Amino acid sequence: MEHHTESFHGASRLIYLSLLYSSGSRRAMAPFSAEMAELIQRFQSQDSFRQMVETGLKAMELRLLALEDKGLRLSARRSDSFFAATLTDYGKLLARSDLKAAEILPVHCAIATAFFPTEADLDAPVEDLGAIVIMDVMDILKRFALAESALPDGETRLHPQVKSVAERLRLLPEDNPDRQRAGSGSSWVEMIAIVLDHMVETGYLLAFEETPGEVEYRPTPAYQTALREGIVYAFHAFRDIVTTAPLQEKKTAGNAAGEGKPHV
């Protein structure tokens, strides 16, 4: 009985610490690195402990995206789950009060479209998906902003929050030379960079700077799994609108999803 209680406590601690780890809070995780390493080793070596953790995850409606050295990468199974972050929660997490929460969703959809322009890419080996840079995401956002303006009034594929932000996207500057200063305002480059940086912090993307001044981003298995198994209706609707945009919009925007990922 005592052993079962101890195992239950350990499984609960692993889930709790993994939620902390999955939030991307490195400072909060720092005091627990040794405990996490011990729990991860136990998760890998003891079948009974692993089953207990998996049962706990299922009960809490959490999905295990990936087993990583520093923790379990977790996400909510449903969009209305207690552990699912809303757009407002996510905006606060990025620590930008001037960054509109709804603006984040199209940026995420554009990033996902850049990596996964076709449905088959969601099942492809993650190492074969290539890399993207900020300009690739910007090109897709351009195409979306143009395509959305041409949609009929009765269009229902897009979430109302995404539709409402499209006009603001069309008015934003592509870049702001003073973006490093507080209160300088938003731009396409700024929003994309903020989201990409946070995705790197939370283990969904890997960043490489092979060419000085140009950071390339590659997806992790956790990111691919999250999109393949999660609730991603907004992503599919966004990608469909971008990839079926009229030819003249494709030419205006430059690189686009469906035309191949230019960076490998």
Side-chain angles (χ1 to χ4, degrees):
M1 182 66 179
E2 183 177 347
H3 176 71
H4 178 80
T5 301
E6 188 278 330
S7 295
F8 180 77
H9 177 269
S12 300
R13 286 292 292 172
L14 179 55
I15 294 173
Y16 167 73
L17 293 177
S18 292
L19 283 168
L20 201 61
Y21 170 71
S22 298
S23 74
S25 180
R26 297 181 182 179
R27 180 179 299 178
M29 275 300 300
F32 307 109
S33 58
E35 181 183 2
M36 176 65 93
E38 181 180 339
L39 290 170
I40 288 294
Q41 183 179 18
R42 191 173 175 184
F43 181 80
Q44 292 176 299
S45 62
Q46 298 179 16
D47 289 340
S48 59
F49 183 74
R50 184 186 186 105
Q51 291 171 5
M52 187 174 288
V53 172
E54 291 173 345
T55 299
L57 293 175
K58 184 177 181 180
M60 298 169 72
E61 297 189 342
L62 291 169
R63 174 182 286 108
L64 174 59
L65 297 176
L67 169 59
E68 301 174 0
D69 293 340
K70 296 181 180 180
L72 305 181
R73 182 68 59 187
L74 305 177
S75 72
R77 285 185 175 274
R78 299 186 296 111
S79 60
D80 58 351
S81 166
F82 176 80
F83 293 104
T86 64
L87 288 176
T88 301
D89 294 335
Y90 189 68
K92 292 178 179 178
L93 187 61
L94 295 184
R96 287 297 310 271
S97 59
D98 61 330
L99 188 62
K100 305 295 183 183
E103 292 170 356
I104 299 168
L105 186 54
V107 175
H108 269 289
C109 289
I111 293 170
T113 301
F115 282 120
F116 311 103
T118 69
E119 197 67 17
D121 291 317
L122 291 171
D123 294 308
V126 71
E127 60 270 15
D128 294 343
L129 294 175
I132 66 169
V133 296
I134 285 181
M135 288 304 299
D136 297 323
V137 182
M138 185 181 296
D139 287 340
I140 292 173
L141 275 178
K142 285 181 183 179
R143 288 185 59 192
F144 166 72
L146 287 170
E148 193 280 335
S149 65
L151 292 175
D153 293 338
E155 173 62 52
T156 59
R157 285 176 293 176
L158 288 179
H159 191 284
Q161 287 179 302
V162 179
K163 294 179 67 174
S164 65
V165 79
E167 182 176 355
R168 173 165 162 76
L169 281 175
R170 290 191 286 272
L171 298 176
L172 281 178
E174 290 188 7
D175 199 0
N176 185 343
D178 297 324
R179 64 178 181 274
Q180 300 298 332
R181 297 190 315 175
S184 63
S186 296
S187 69
W188 291 39
V189 168
E190 182 180 18
M191 286 194 300
I192 295 168
I194 290 171
V195 174
L196 286 172
D197 287 347
H198 187 257
M199 292 180 73
V200 171
E201 290 177 5
T202 52
Y204 286 110
L205 299 180
L206 300 174
F208 302 90
E209 192 170 354
E210 297 178 358
T211 302
E214 184 174 89
V215 180
E216 294 185 350
Y217 300 89
R218 293 180 180 271
T220 64
Y223 182 45
Q224 186 184 42
T225 302
L227 283 174
R228 184 176 61 243
E229 300 181 4
I231 300 172
V232 289
Y233 173 78
F235 159 55
H236 286 92
F238 179 100
R239 185 178 64 181
D240 182 53
I241 288 171
V242 168
T243 56
T244 58
L247 183 59
Q248 66 180 39
E249 292 178 2
K250 291 184 179 181
K251 290 181 178 178
T252 300
N255 292 337
E259 294 176 350
K261 293 179 280 294
H263 295 84
V264 178

